[in-house]
């Protein structure tokens, strides 16, 4: 299984890479990024790429990708403008999606959207997320799995401090009761890999479905591999 990760330096993307490299079923992890990753492994292929609006020159390297996990994104409060948020959330994601679909017509695509994404929302970020989901569905059809997590607690920390973590910290002891709104990076990464490896995951997947998918993934890793 060859998995591609877009956004491998972020909280979720880095967790996906970490979990995938610990899974013997994943033969190769291709991580598309603008800068080198901290992680290193014989199965990790870091693809340094500057122009996220155009991935056409990577098509030959995408031909054997079985599934892509798109964890690229930014928090709406951190965006300098609506145009910047749209570029990262919609334009960059669709650019990779189209390049992948051109190179590997049967590839699966797992997209990290957000809780509350809806075309009818009053929130600009939610409408843009929904627009991205709809555009991806046109490209991948049933091979698209959308994830709509709530707040994601960074289990292994975050490269740059985020005020949202400080604001959410008092609620973490009540996470079980607030499961609809709070999850963590490991749970989301495992759910993404469950779908990438062909597991049955409801789409769009909210926090409950993400938890179920993560549990399926852990169980599948523990299951004995059938002998040839």
């Amino acid at each position: 299984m060859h998995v591609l990760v877009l956004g491998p330096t972020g909280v979720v993307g880095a967790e996906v890479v970490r979990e995938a490299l610990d899974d013997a079923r994943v033969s190769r992890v291709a991580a598309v990024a603008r800068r080198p990753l901290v992680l290193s492994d014989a199965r990790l292929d870091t693809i340094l790429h500057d122009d996220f609006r155009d991935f056409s020159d990577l098509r030959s390297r995408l031909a054997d990708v079985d599934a892509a996990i798109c964890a690229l994104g930014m928090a709406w409060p951190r965006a300098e403008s609506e145009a910047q948020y749209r570029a990262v959330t919609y334009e960059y994601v669709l650019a990779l999606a189209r390049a992948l679909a051109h190179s590997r017509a049967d590839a699966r695509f797992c997209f990290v959207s957000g809780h509350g994404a809806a075309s009818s929302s009053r929130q600009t970020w939610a409408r843009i997320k929904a627009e991205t989901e709809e555009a991806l569905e046109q490209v991948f059809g049933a091979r698209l799995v959308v994830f709509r997590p709530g707040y994601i607690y960074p289990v292994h920390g975050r490269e740059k401090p985020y005020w949202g973590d400080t604001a959410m910290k008092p609620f973490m002891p009540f996470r079980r009761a607030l499961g609809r709104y709070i999850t963590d990076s490991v749970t989301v990464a495992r759910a993404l890999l469950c779908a990438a490896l062909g597991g049955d995951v409801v789409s769009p997947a909210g926090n409950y479905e993400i938890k179920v998918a993560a549990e399926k993934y852990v169980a599948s890793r523990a299951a004995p591999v059938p002998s040839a």
Side-chain angles (χ1 to χ4, degrees):
M1 168 65 68
H2 179 184
V3 176
L4 180 143
V5 182
L6 182 64
T9 59
V11 169
V12 173
E15 206 73 71
V16 169
V17 173
R18 191 177 290 111
E19 288 283 335
L21 292 176
D22 199 37
D23 190 333
R25 296 170 297 177
V26 179
S27 57
R28 182 182 171 202
V29 179
V32 181
R34 288 195 174 98
R35 63 183 187 277
L37 274 62
V38 175
L39 295 172
S40 62
D41 189 276
R43 291 181 293 143
L44 176 60
D45 177 18
T46 301
I47 303 174
L48 298 181
H49 189 74
D50 289 327
D51 187 1
F52 275 31
R53 284 187 169 85
D54 185 3
F55 294 93
S56 58
D57 60 336
L58 300 183
R59 285 177 177 174
S60 63
R61 303 181 69 173
L62 302 178
D64 61 349
V65 169
D66 297 298
I69 293 176
C70 180
L72 182 68
M74 67 187 310
W76 173 251
R78 286 188 167 186
E80 295 177 1
S81 64
E82 178 180 336
Q84 183 193 37
Y85 187 85
R86 176 176 290 277
V88 174
T89 305
Y90 181 90
E91 295 173 20
Y92 296 175
V93 173
L94 265 295
L96 176 71
R98 288 162 181 156
L100 175 61
H102 181 275
S103 301
R104 183 68 188 267
D106 61 342
R108 291 184 289 280
F109 199 92
C110 304
F111 174 58
V112 181
S113 183
H115 177 76
S119 57
S120 59
S121 175
R122 295 182 179 180
Q123 301 293 320
T124 302
W125 72 265
R127 294 196 302 272
I128 294 174
K129 285 281 192 183
E131 185 179 346
T132 307
E133 293 177 7
E134 293 167 4
L136 288 172
E137 186 174 8
Q138 292 179 11
V139 176
F140 295 102
R143 290 175 287 111
L144 169 69
V145 182
V146 172
F147 293 78
R148 293 178 179 171
Y151 167 72
I152 303 172
Y153 174 72
V155 173
H156 290 97
R158 192 186 300 271
E159 279 190 341
K160 296 180 180 179
Y162 174 49
W163 65 266
D165 295 334
T166 302
M168 291 300 295
K169 188 174 182 179
F171 297 98
M172 296 311 295
F174 310 102
R175 178 185 156 185
R176 189 168 184 177
L178 299 172
R180 180 182 177 187
Y181 306 103
I182 299 175
T183 183
D184 66 74
S185 56
V186 170
T187 299
V188 176
R190 289 174 175 174
L192 286 161
L193 283 167
C194 178
L197 271 64
D200 185 18
V201 179
V202 174
S203 180
N207 275 5
Y208 173 76
E209 291 80 15
I210 288 171
K211 180 176 180 292
V212 170
E215 292 170 349
K216 284 183 183 178
Y217 175 73
V218 172
S220 69
R221 283 182 57 172
V225 178
S227 57

